[in-house]
Amino acid sequence: MRDYRDVSFWFDSLAESNQNEFTPRAPLSGDVSTGVCIVGGGLTGLWTAYYLKKADPSLAITIVEKEVVGFGASGRNGGWCSALFPRSTDALRRHYGDDAARAMRQAMIDTVDEVGRVVETEGIDCDFRKGGTIVFARDAVQRAAAVADVDSARDFGVDRLELVTTGSHDDPRTRSLQASSSLAASFDPSCARVHPAKLVRALARVVEGLGVVIAEQTEIVEWAPRRALYTAQGGEGLISCDELVIATEAYGSQLPGVGRRIMPLYSLMIATEPLPDELWDEIGIEHGMTFSDYRHLLVYGQRTADNRFAFGGRGARYHWGSSIKPDHDRVDRVFDHLEHTLGELFPAARGRAVTHRWGGPLGVPRDWHATASYNPRTGVAFAGGYVGDGLSTTNLAGRTLADLIGRRSTELTALPWVNHLSPKWEPEPFRFLGANLGLVGTGAADVEESVTGRRSLAARILAPLTGH
């Protein structure tokens, strides 16, 4: 049995306070009959179970998890509970029109507050603090992108995006501009800092208290409408159910019936030693604030509750055949890049010890468009494709699936992502070549902009591969 502490800093910090935190729950044994079978013990599955139980306390629900609750992206991510959606607002406007795009964006904004409401109601201690996201513009090209974002948000009429340039030194955003040598920044108040492992592990205990059965160390090897076959340490068996929810995100690429509908791309993170309050005051990142910048090769960070930088980004390559292995979680080249980038963004952080390095796969659909889907004829539901924006989107997915399964017509079931079907990814070698070309292209786009002082032509050409 693996040591789950090494999954992420988040898991390790929980194990420090409770050495039995990751003792697996009992696996399934023998044939099982249940009302709803949920495949995957991450946030999508748990939120779905939570809202189904709230709507119908008598409903029998079984969650089946191959490892332990939160093992996937739910326990490894950057801790942004944000209003971001995998597809940009502009893309939604082009595809669905302004009204549907506004409804989607408003639903995501409301979701941040809904997570906060449940956290408070259920007494979940997960370091939830809503401090917004600041995105730095560190050169003239990035500043133009920030201005365009704010202008677009003002035109759209839903977002409360602000342009940060100068201001009082009492404003932490002004201090962070100075600390990062940025020309400007955009600021979105609709984001909360979260300790993701605390959230997912506590939510599991909440749904168990509502009567949900969670079986860990149990792998689904085959599924069809209203049935699933599993294997576990104690043997194998058949799960019979009325409704089947596939909530596996990147790991669905390994599951029959999902496969090429999702591609696992790796995102890696580092965490520093705790830093003194005086240094954070100089940097200007307050508790609850998350941060990024306008480069193409995405980076993201937060100030943890215990005063560390938790900082991550893309840069790890896609692996042939959608391979997912523990060895892929750690790439020294990417970790070195993240440490260098953090020091470049905040020189005051240079030389600070990096105590944790980890990573994991996130789920990417071919059109970079997440979905919450349900077929009432087969009883099969699916949600995922969050492209790294899942900490909040999973909650919206859970509420939406609960309404769909409950046959309720609501504002959520009318959102444009409901029953969206993404095309399949290409077979190999085209998938391997395209995914890694997109990765190389994003890095090249940043170099191109620094040299030319203009928005990247490479980024525009590769946009279909990178979701922009």
Side-chain angles (χ1 to χ4, degrees):
M1 186 176 299
R2 69 173 296 165
D3 181 2
Y4 288 107
R5 291 186 66 150
D6 68 1
V7 164
S8 65
F9 158 69
W10 313 115
F11 266 40
D12 187 50
S13 66
L14 284 184
E16 282 186 358
S17 57
N18 179 7
Q19 61 181 357
N20 297 317
E21 174 67 39
F22 298 106
T23 301
R25 295 169 171 86
L28 289 182
S29 177
D31 293 345
V32 174
S33 180
T34 186
V36 179
C37 174
I38 298 175
V39 183
L43 285 169
T44 297
L46 292 169
W47 282 125
T48 301
Y50 178 81
Y51 290 104
L52 282 171
K53 271 293 191 180
K54 288 295 184 179
D56 182 1
S58 67
L59 187 61
I61 302 174
T62 301
I63 297 176
V64 181
E65 167 56 45
K66 181 180 177 180
E67 296 283 351
V68 295
V69 162
F71 174 81
S74 296
R76 308 181 190 219
N77 61 74
W80 287 32
C81 184
S82 77
L84 296 173
F85 188 69
R87 290 287 277 182
S88 71
T89 301
D90 286 342
L92 290 172
R93 293 174 75 176
R94 287 195 300 271
H95 284 280
Y96 300 111
D98 283 357
D99 290 344
R102 284 193 186 94
M104 192 75 236
R105 177 61 177 163
Q106 189 61 58
M108 288 298 300
I109 292 171
D110 295 342
T111 293
V112 178
D113 293 330
E114 170 64 9
V115 173
R117 183 194 68 79
V118 176
V119 163
E120 182 176 4
T121 299
E122 302 294 350
I124 295 175
D125 177 11
C126 63
D127 304 333
F128 183 97
R129 184 176 293 191
K130 188 177 177 183
T133 297
I134 188 166
V135 183
F136 299 108
R138 306 188 68 243
D139 57 35
V141 178
Q142 293 186 6
R143 188 186 190 284
V147 171
D149 273 358
V150 173
D151 288 346
S152 176
R154 185 179 299 116
D155 172 65
F156 194 48
V158 176
D159 301 86
R160 291 179 291 155
L161 214 61
E162 303 173 39
L163 184 67
V164 182
T165 52
T166 57
S168 167
H169 192 70
D170 292 335
D171 186 338
R173 300 175 303 177
T174 300
R175 295 199 302 275
S176 66
L177 279 181
Q178 296 170 346
S180 63
S181 300
S182 296
L183 302 181
S186 64
F187 180 76
D188 184 350
S190 299
C191 185
R193 182 274 319 269
V194 174
H195 186 303
K198 286 184 178 180
L199 173 61
V200 68
R201 301 290 296 179
L203 185 59
R205 292 188 285 271
V206 169
V207 300
E208 283 181 311
L210 296 174
V212 174
V213 174
I214 301 178
E216 296 179 323
Q217 306 283 287
T218 303
E219 180 180 5
I220 298 298
V221 294
E222 184 180 333
W223 63 271
R226 299 184 173 86
R227 63 192 297 272
L229 296 176
Y230 76 85
T231 61
Q233 190 174 8
E236 59 185 31
L238 172 67
I239 303 172
S240 301
C241 57
D242 299 319
E243 321 284 351
L244 181 68
V245 179
I246 305 298
T248 49
E249 194 52 350
Y251 295 84
S253 62
Q254 316 298 303
L255 190 64
V258 181
R260 280 173 33 220
R261 293 205 178 279
I262 206 80
M263 182 171 69
L265 286 184
Y266 276 76
S267 194
L268 274 56
M269 293 195 69
I270 60 174
T272 68
E273 63 184 334
L275 309 182
D277 285 336
E278 314 85 74
L279 185 60
W280 282 110
D281 188 57
E282 174 188 340
I283 290 172
I285 300 294
E286 294 194 327
H287 281 298
M289 286 179 67
T290 58
F291 64 90
S292 181
D293 69 12
Y294 275 93
R295 75 185 68 208
H296 294 280
L297 192 61
L298 179 68
V299 295
Y300 50 90
Q302 65 149 283
R303 175 185 179 177
T304 67
D306 63 347
N307 273 352
R308 303 171 188 263
F309 273 111
F311 186 69
R314 308 289 161 79
R317 69 180 182 88
Y318 162 79
H319 298 275
W320 181 276
S322 293
S323 172
I324 296 178
K325 296 180 180 178
D327 289 349
H328 302 340
D329 296 345
R330 287 164 172 76
V331 182
D332 289 340
R333 170 186 57 82
V334 179
F335 290 138
D336 291 344
H337 163 73
L338 290 174
E339 189 170 353
H340 171 79
T341 301
L342 179 61
E344 179 186 59
L345 192 57
F346 294 111
R350 289 175 182 163
R352 302 292 173 168
V354 172
T355 60
H356 294 76
R357 298 170 176 84
W358 74 97
L362 49 90
V364 182
R366 181 62 181 86
D367 58 1
W368 296 64
H369 196 310
T371 188
S373 301
Y374 175 67
N375 186 331
R377 182 178 59 82
T378 63
V380 176
F382 172 86
Y386 308 122
V387 198
D389 290 323
L391 187 56
S392 50
T393 316
T394 50
N395 176 275
L396 180 61
R399 287 184 285 140
T400 303
L401 290 186
D403 284 348
L404 290 169
I405 292 170
R407 313 295 204 276
R408 293 182 293 274
S409 180
T410 66
E411 290 183 356
L412 296 184
T413 62
L415 291 173
W417 74 321
V418 171
N419 291 327
H420 173 80
L421 181 64
S422 299
K424 291 183 178 181
W425 282 96
E426 291 79 3
E428 301 293 15
F430 304 106
R431 185 161 76 250
F432 181 85
L433 293 172
N436 288 312
L437 178 62
L439 173 64
V440 172
T442 53
D446 289 322
V447 174
E448 178 191 351
E449 290 184 351
S450 68
V451 171
T452 66
R454 298 189 299 270
R455 292 299 284 174
S456 169
L457 177 61
R460 291 198 295 272
I461 293 172
L462 293 173
L465 296 176
T466 57
H468 296 293

